[in-house]
Amino acid sequence: MNFPPPGRFPPLILDDVRGAQKMLSGVSRVTPLEGSRHLSALVGAPVQFKCENLQRTGSFKLRGAYVRISGLTPVERAAGVVAASAGNHAQGVALASALLGVRSTVFMPVGAPLPKVAATREYGAEVRLHGHVVDETLAAAQEYAHETGAVFIHPFDHPDIIAGQGTVGLEILEQCPEVRTIVVGVGGGGLAAGIAVAVKAVRPDVRIVGVQAAGAACYPPSLAAGHPVSIDSLQTMADGIKVGRPGDVPFGLVQELVDEVRTVSEDELSSALLLCLERAKMVVEPAGASPVAALLSDPKSFRGPVVALLSGGNVDPLLMQRILTHGMSAAGRYLSLRLRLTDRPGALATMLGVLSLADANVLDVSHVRTDPRLGLTEAEVELHLETKGPEHCEEVAAALRGAGYLVMG
């Protein structure tokens, strides 16, 4: 990736974010705050969601894209803009360009989810599919910019982008003046940096906590080194914060103004997404659920009132299905086990009767009689069950053992 050198831009200040807020009036939505009784009980203080998943295009990205493109000169607008993205930034640039009457070209990876590709086209962008990873897509977009003169719109490494994203912070202060902690997902750092600039200038006592996926956490080593550091391995379902190197511009602001950057696991992300869906009735993508994952992993470490930013809700239905399955497993809602029983007529039905009395729902049964490890009168059954949680899993296993079955886990 090509990043602007440090010092290229003037320092970002509160007035820049306030100017962006005026520019976005009537363009972006003032998204609501929604309380979470479940998380409030865990934290021991009020917890509210800032619902940018309900923003136009389904994420906060419209804010920064619109401010950045609005700032182009007439000559630059005439040349058009180009961006590279697997989803949210693509849609933000496409809609912002359409609203401003600027031609946009968006490069997306070949494997980008079809709903995101279709939405980007519907917002008015010309979509070009190139590369199988974002770095290849980004290189193609930058080459296009060099060849055509189109302005490359970076997803996070520009002051106008950061100022636009910072308007989320101003809204939080207006909607929850008593806030003491803001929790926000971090990828390249544009959103966290913008919120920090806005909030710390008005309320320096507010604690800002950034959250990264443990499998794509470029900020902890970068903060330790004192400068942006690239990481090679990016393994996370949270593609919205799957970034291998902090942006130079947001890094300096995060380093100065963000109080802490934490990491969360894939299990914690999927459990958080499931909680948003079940308890809050919110469709949230994994990156957007990262603040909720942080709250779930260590709820007593946050001072309330807390605002957790749900940054986006653009999740592919097929990925959602896999994530929900993963989340239910992580939450103890599935139980897989093997057990031995006597191979005689009715034995399987008797065992299923025990499960019925234990109120476990059978999803799949595999019945093996021919394994050489089994005795002549034995059969082995592998079960996949739907349960009500970890305690119910223990109750089901105990019921089977109490009925005389050898449960092997």
Side-chain angles (χ1 to χ4, degrees):
M1 294 185 181
N2 294 327
F3 294 87
R8 173 179 163 186
F9 301 109
L12 196 70
I13 59 176
L14 176 61
D15 284 347
D16 297 315
V17 183
R18 285 179 170 158
Q21 188 176 43
K22 292 179 182 178
M23 194 178 298
L24 288 166
S25 177
V27 176
S28 64
R29 293 173 180 155
V30 177
T31 52
L33 288 187
E34 296 289 343
S36 170
R37 284 181 293 180
H38 179 73
L39 285 175
S40 297
L42 291 177
V43 173
V47 175
Q48 297 190 78
F49 296 143
K50 175 62 171 170
C51 302
E52 282 295 289
N53 58 315
L54 303 180
Q55 184 57 262
R56 296 180 71 178
T57 75
S59 87
F60 69 95
K61 288 289 190 178
L62 171 65
R63 297 172 183 262
Y66 188 88
V67 173
R68 173 75 174 99
I69 298 170
S70 292
L72 299 180
T73 67
V75 172
E76 289 172 326
R77 290 193 186 199
V81 299
V82 60
S85 168
N88 289 345
H89 181 58
Q91 293 173 68
V93 168
L95 179 56
S97 299
L99 293 172
L100 292 165
V102 177
R103 184 178 71 257
S104 63
T105 303
V106 176
F107 285 76
M108 304 183 76
V110 172
L114 293 178
K116 293 185 178 182
V117 174
T120 303
R121 286 188 173 127
E122 288 172 7
Y123 287 129
E126 177 189 348
V127 174
R128 300 192 180 191
L129 300 178
H130 184 94
H132 294 278
V133 296
V134 174
D135 282 348
E136 296 173 354
T137 308
L138 181 58
Q142 291 174 326
E143 182 179 354
Y144 177 89
H146 178 73
E147 292 175 350
T148 66
V151 179
F152 179 68
I153 307 299
H154 200 284
F156 50 81
D157 208 11
H158 192 282
D160 289 347
I161 295 286
I162 297 170
Q165 321 304 30
T167 59
V168 176
L170 293 180
E171 290 179 13
I172 290 173
L173 291 179
E174 292 164 2
Q175 294 169 311
C176 185
E178 67 279 13
V179 63
R180 298 182 71 187
T181 305
I182 296 173
V183 192
V184 55
V186 178
L191 177 61
I195 289 174
V197 167
V199 171
K200 289 291 189 177
V202 180
R203 288 277 310 282
D205 61 301
V206 173
R207 184 172 180 80
I208 299 177
V209 178
V211 184
Q212 292 208 290
C218 60
Y219 263 89
S222 297
L223 292 170
H227 58 82
V229 171
S230 298
I231 57 173
D232 296 327
S233 178
L234 297 172
Q235 301 293 329
T236 178
M237 69 178 80
D239 57 350
I241 53 175
K242 190 177 180 179
V243 176
R245 183 186 187 276
D248 287 313
V249 180
F251 175 79
L253 296 168
V254 170
Q255 184 181 42
E256 178 185 358
L257 299 172
V258 172
D259 296 281
E260 179 187 1
V261 177
R262 302 186 179 194
T263 61
V264 292
S265 69
E266 297 299 285
D267 281 352
E268 288 166 341
L269 283 169
S270 55
S271 295
L273 189 145
L274 184 62
L275 181 142
C276 288
L277 191 63
E278 284 191 323
R279 297 296 185 95
K281 315 307 177 193
M282 289 284 178
V283 176
V284 182
E285 60 191 86
S290 59
V292 179
L295 288 168
L296 287 173
S297 67
D298 192 7
K300 296 302 181 183
S301 65
F302 293 90
R303 295 185 309 163
V306 178
V307 174
L309 180 58
L310 307 182
S311 58
N314 293 319
V315 57
D316 180 63
L318 294 177
L319 176 61
M320 172 69 88
Q321 184 179 27
R322 293 197 297 270
I323 292 172
L324 289 178
T325 299
H326 187 84
M328 290 182 69
S329 179
R333 300 281 292 277
Y334 291 133
L335 174 63
S336 296
L337 48 80
R338 292 178 298 114
L339 51 85
R340 298 269 176 94
L341 49 76
T342 303
D343 188 14
R344 56 177 174 76
L348 182 60
T350 301
M351 182 268 295
L352 293 176
V354 174
L355 293 174
S356 177
L357 291 173
D359 205 20
N361 185 38
V362 179
L363 300 176
D364 187 46
V365 178
S366 177
H367 199 192
V368 178
R369 293 186 178 90
T370 58
D371 193 308
R373 297 173 301 167
L374 298 173
L376 291 175
T377 61
E378 287 185 320
E380 186 172 285
V381 175
E382 183 173 348
L383 295 166
H384 298 282
L385 310 172
E386 182 181 5
T387 66
K388 300 174 183 178
E391 293 182 0
H392 190 211
C393 288
E394 295 176 4
E395 293 171 3
V396 171
L400 288 168
R401 293 188 184 99
Y405 295 103
L406 175 63
V407 178
M408 294 173 285

